């Protein structure tokens, strides 16, 4: 599964689409979308994109700067 968690700050969210399942050695494409609420806190917001199957297989940082 693909999830984004551990998001810092308030008013920023991330979603991952589509939900995909891959065989060993296969590849695929997903889109990570960032959304903000009106009045989101200024500054740096970050989260962790996790790729897991029974446990974390890989992770990457997602980052947004609200000015």
């Amino acid at each position: 599964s693909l999830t984004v968690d551990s998001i810092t700050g308030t008013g920023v969210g991330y979603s991952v689409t589509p939900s995909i399942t891959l065989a060993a050695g296969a590849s695929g494409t997903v889109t990570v979308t960032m959304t903000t609420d009106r009045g989101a806190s200024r500054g740096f917001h970050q989260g962790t994109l996790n790729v897991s199957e029974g446990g974390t297989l890989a992770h990457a940082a997602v980052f947004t700067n609200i000015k």
Side-chain angles (χ1 to χ4, degrees):
S1 70
L2 298 167
T3 59
V4 178
D5 58 17
S6 303
I7 300 169
T8 61
T10 58
V12 173
Y14 301 92
S15 61
V16 182
T17 55
S19 177
I20 62 173
T21 301
L22 300 172
S27 64
T29 301
V30 297
T31 300
V32 177
T33 303
M34 183 273 302
T35 57
T36 60
D37 296 333
R38 185 179 275 289
S41 61
R42 290 180 177 211
F44 302 129
H45 300 262
Q46 63 185 29
T48 304
L49 170 65
N50 293 298
V51 179
S52 61
E53 179 63 42
T56 300
L57 301 174
H59 63 274
V62 292
F63 181 82
T64 303
N65 182 15
I66 306 291
K67 293 185 176 188

